[in-house]
PDB file of all heavy atoms in Angstrom:
ATOM      1  N   ARG Z   6      52.117-259.238 100.247  1.00 94.00           N
ATOM      2  CA  ARG Z   6      51.494-257.991 100.695  1.00 94.00           C
ATOM      3  C   ARG Z   6      50.036-257.905 100.232  1.00 94.00           C
ATOM      4  O   ARG Z   6      49.160-257.486 100.985  1.00 94.00           O
ATOM      5  CB  ARG Z   6      52.308-256.808 100.145  1.00 94.00           C
ATOM      6  CG  ARG Z   6      51.712-255.439 100.384  1.00 94.00           C
ATOM      7  CD  ARG Z   6      51.753-255.086 101.860  1.00 94.00           C
ATOM      8  NE  ARG Z   6      51.005-253.888 102.110  1.00 94.00           N
ATOM      9  CZ  ARG Z   6      51.515-252.789 102.613  1.00 94.00           C
ATOM     10  NH1 ARG Z   6      52.790-252.750 102.935  1.00 94.00           N
ATOM     11  NH2 ARG Z   6      50.779-251.737 102.820  1.00 94.00           N
ATOM     12  N   SER Z  11      44.241-258.018 101.376  1.00 97.00           N
ATOM     13  CA  SER Z  11      42.923-258.594 101.088  1.00 97.00           C
ATOM     14  C   SER Z  11      42.293-259.203 102.339  1.00 97.00           C
ATOM     15  O   SER Z  11      41.100-259.018 102.599  1.00 97.00           O
ATOM     16  CB  SER Z  11      43.031-259.652 100.000  1.00 97.00           C
ATOM     17  OG  SER Z  11      43.449-259.066  98.789  1.00 97.00           O
ATOM     18  N   THR Z  13      42.972-258.415 105.489  1.00 97.00           N
ATOM     19  CA  THR Z  13      42.660-257.307 106.390  1.00 97.00           C
ATOM     20  C   THR Z  13      41.379-256.603 105.965  1.00 97.00           C
ATOM     21  O   THR Z  13      40.519-256.294 106.799  1.00 97.00           O
ATOM     22  CB  THR Z  13      43.823-256.303 106.445  1.00 97.00           C
ATOM     23  OG1 THR Z  13      45.014-256.992 106.846  1.00 97.00           O
ATOM     24  CG2 THR Z  13      43.543-255.172 107.406  1.00 97.00           C
ATOM     25  N   ARG Z  33      18.585-243.826 104.596  1.00 91.00           N
ATOM     26  CA  ARG Z  33      17.348-244.194 103.888  1.00 91.00           C
ATOM     27  C   ARG Z  33      16.136-243.581 104.559  1.00 91.00           C
ATOM     28  O   ARG Z  33      15.240-243.061 103.912  1.00 91.00           O
ATOM     29  CB  ARG Z  33      17.222-245.720 103.836  1.00 91.00           C
ATOM     30  CG  ARG Z  33      15.951-246.230 103.268  1.00 91.00           C
ATOM     31  CD  ARG Z  33      15.988-246.138 101.753  1.00 91.00           C
ATOM     32  NE  ARG Z  33      14.983-246.992 101.175  1.00 91.00           N
ATOM     33  CZ  ARG Z  33      13.755-246.583 100.867  1.00 91.00           C
ATOM     34  NH1 ARG Z  33      13.402-245.347 101.068  1.00 91.00           N
ATOM     35  NH2 ARG Z  33      12.904-247.417 100.345  1.00 91.00           N
ATOM     36  N   GLY Z  37      15.849-240.610 102.235  1.00 84.00           N
ATOM     37  CA  GLY Z  37      15.243-241.383 101.157  1.00 84.00           C
ATOM     38  C   GLY Z  37      16.290-242.059 100.293  1.00 84.00           C
ATOM     39  O   GLY Z  37      17.424-242.267 100.690  1.00 84.00           O
ATOM     40  N   VAL Z  40      20.825-244.414  98.618  1.00 90.00           N
ATOM     41  CA  VAL Z  40      21.754-244.333  99.752  1.00 90.00           C
ATOM     42  C   VAL Z  40      23.161-244.057  99.244  1.00 90.00           C
ATOM     43  O   VAL Z  40      23.913-243.300  99.847  1.00 90.00           O
ATOM     44  CB  VAL Z  40      21.716-245.625 100.588  1.00 90.00           C
ATOM     45  CG1 VAL Z  40      22.794-245.638 101.642  1.00 90.00           C
ATOM     46  CG2 VAL Z  40      20.340-245.792 101.220  1.00 90.00           C
ATOM     47  N   PHE Z  42      25.726-242.492  96.400  1.00 86.00           N
ATOM     48  CA  PHE Z  42      25.869-241.459  95.380  1.00 86.00           C
ATOM     49  C   PHE Z  42      26.923-241.940  94.395  1.00 86.00           C
ATOM     50  O   PHE Z  42      28.024-242.302  94.783  1.00 86.00           O
ATOM     51  CB  PHE Z  42      26.312-240.158  96.063  1.00 86.00           C
ATOM     52  CG  PHE Z  42      26.761-239.087  95.126  1.00 86.00           C
ATOM     53  CD1 PHE Z  42      25.854-238.397  94.362  1.00 86.00           C
ATOM     54  CD2 PHE Z  42      28.103-238.772  95.015  1.00 86.00           C
ATOM     55  CE1 PHE Z  42      26.270-237.397  93.503  1.00 86.00           C
ATOM     56  CE2 PHE Z  42      28.530-237.788  94.157  1.00 86.00           C
ATOM     57  CZ  PHE Z  42      27.607-237.097  93.403  1.00 86.00           C
ATOM     58  N   ARG Z  43      26.568-241.981  93.117  1.00 90.00           N
ATOM     59  CA  ARG Z  43      27.512-242.443  92.091  1.00 90.00           C
ATOM     60  C   ARG Z  43      27.919-241.269  91.214  1.00 90.00           C
ATOM     61  O   ARG Z  43      27.092-240.452  90.832  1.00 90.00           O
ATOM     62  CB  ARG Z  43      26.882-243.537  91.251  1.00 90.00           C
ATOM     63  CG  ARG Z  43      26.697-244.808  92.021  1.00 90.00           C
ATOM     64  CD  ARG Z  43      26.099-245.897  91.152  1.00 90.00           C
ATOM     65  NE  ARG Z  43      26.026-247.152  91.860  1.00 90.00           N
ATOM     66  CZ  ARG Z  43      25.010-247.528  92.615  1.00 90.00           C
ATOM     67  NH1 ARG Z  43      23.975-246.727  92.757  1.00 90.00           N
ATOM     68  NH2 ARG Z  43      25.026-248.686  93.227  1.00 90.00           N
ATOM     69  N   GLY Z  48      40.510-240.490  86.348  1.00 91.00           N
ATOM     70  CA  GLY Z  48      41.564-241.029  87.197  1.00 91.00           C
ATOM     71  C   GLY Z  48      42.915-241.001  86.529  1.00 91.00           C
ATOM     72  O   GLY Z  48      43.201-240.170  85.659  1.00 91.00           O
ATOM     73  N   LYS Z  58      29.783-243.430  96.684  1.00 89.00           N
ATOM     74  CA  LYS Z  58      30.006-242.903  98.028  1.00 89.00           C
ATOM     75  C   LYS Z  58      28.691-242.920  98.786  1.00 89.00           C
ATOM     76  O   LYS Z  58      27.621-242.851  98.191  1.00 89.00           O
ATOM     77  CB  LYS Z  58      30.504-241.463  97.945  1.00 89.00           C
ATOM     78  CG  LYS Z  58      31.859-241.331  97.268  1.00 89.00           C
ATOM     79  CD  LYS Z  58      32.231-239.901  96.987  1.00 89.00           C
ATOM     80  CE  LYS Z  58      32.286-239.067  98.237  1.00 89.00           C
ATOM     81  NZ  LYS Z  58      32.769-237.707  97.976  1.00 89.00           N
ATOM     82  N   ARG Z  60      25.788-241.288 100.563  1.00 84.00           N
ATOM     83  CA  ARG Z  60      25.206-239.953 100.419  1.00 84.00           C
ATOM     84  C   ARG Z  60      25.103-239.279 101.781  1.00 84.00           C
ATOM     85  O   ARG Z  60      24.529-239.818 102.713  1.00 84.00           O
ATOM     86  CB  ARG Z  60      23.812-240.068  99.801  1.00 84.00           C
ATOM     87  CG  ARG Z  60      23.252-238.740  99.380  1.00 84.00           C
ATOM     88  CD  ARG Z  60      21.979-238.956  98.653  1.00 84.00           C
ATOM     89  NE  ARG Z  60      20.897-238.899  99.638  1.00 84.00           N
ATOM     90  CZ  ARG Z  60      19.627-238.923  99.322  1.00 84.00           C
ATOM     91  NH1 ARG Z  60      19.261-239.058  98.083  1.00 84.00           N
ATOM     92  NH2 ARG Z  60      18.721-238.845 100.251  1.00 84.00           N
ATOM     93  N   THR Z  63      22.138-233.214 101.476  1.00 70.00           N
ATOM     94  CA  THR Z  63      20.754-233.139 101.049  1.00 70.00           C
ATOM     95  C   THR Z  63      20.646-232.179  99.878  1.00 70.00           C
ATOM     96  O   THR Z  63      21.594-231.458  99.556  1.00 70.00           O
ATOM     97  CB  THR Z  63      19.839-232.647 102.180  1.00 70.00           C
ATOM     98  OG1 THR Z  63      20.203-231.302 102.492  1.00 70.00           O
ATOM     99  CG2 THR Z  63      19.965-233.521 103.414  1.00 70.00           C
ATOM    100  N   ALA Z  65      18.649-229.646  99.944  1.00 67.00           N
ATOM    101  CA  ALA Z  65      18.259-228.352 100.498  1.00 67.00           C
ATOM    102  C   ALA Z  65      19.455-227.404 100.528  1.00 67.00           C
ATOM    103  O   ALA Z  65      20.591-227.807 100.778  1.00 67.00           O
ATOM    104  CB  ALA Z  65      17.712-228.539 101.911  1.00 67.00           C
ATOM    105  N   ASN Z  67      20.954-223.701 102.099  1.00 62.00           N
ATOM    106  CA  ASN Z  67      20.803-222.722 103.181  1.00 62.00           C
ATOM    107  C   ASN Z  67      21.187-221.370 102.624  1.00 62.00           C
ATOM    108  O   ASN Z  67      22.348-221.083 102.382  1.00 62.00           O
ATOM    109  CB  ASN Z  67      21.706-223.113 104.352  1.00 62.00           C
ATOM    110  CG  ASN Z  67      21.523-222.219 105.542  1.00 62.00           C
ATOM    111  OD1 ASN Z  67      20.699-221.317 105.518  1.00 62.00           O
ATOM    112  ND2 ASN Z  67      22.286-222.475 106.587  1.00 62.00           N
ATOM    113  N   THR Z  69      21.335-218.111 103.881  1.00 60.00           N
ATOM    114  CA  THR Z  69      21.346-217.151 104.982  1.00 60.00           C
ATOM    115  C   THR Z  69      22.231-215.953 104.677  1.00 60.00           C
ATOM    116  O   THR Z  69      22.348-215.054 105.482  1.00 60.00           O
ATOM    117  CB  THR Z  69      21.841-217.813 106.284  1.00 60.00           C
ATOM    118  OG1 THR Z  69      23.168-218.302 106.068  1.00 60.00           O
ATOM    119  CG2 THR Z  69      20.917-218.939 106.704  1.00 60.00           C
ATOM    120  N   ASN Z  71      25.539-216.022 104.180  1.00 52.00           N
ATOM    121  CA  ASN Z  71      26.910-216.175 104.669  1.00 52.00           C
ATOM    122  C   ASN Z  71      27.842-216.543 103.561  1.00 52.00           C
ATOM    123  O   ASN Z  71      27.658-217.206 102.671  1.00 52.00           O
ATOM    124  CB  ASN Z  71      26.983-217.250 105.753  1.00 52.00           C
ATOM    125  CG  ASN Z  71      26.272-216.780 107.011  1.00 52.00           C
ATOM    126  OD1 ASN Z  71      26.106-215.601 107.223  1.00 52.00           O
ATOM    127  ND2 ASN Z  71      25.866-217.737 107.821  1.00 52.00           N
TER     128      ASN Z  71
END
Side-chain angles (χ1 to χ4, degrees):
R6 173 69 189 241
S11 296
T13 303
R33 174 78 162 92
V40 172
F42 168 73
R43 290 181 175 88
K58 296 170 59 175
R60 191 173 91 173
T63 65
N67 185 2
T69 60
N71 291 338

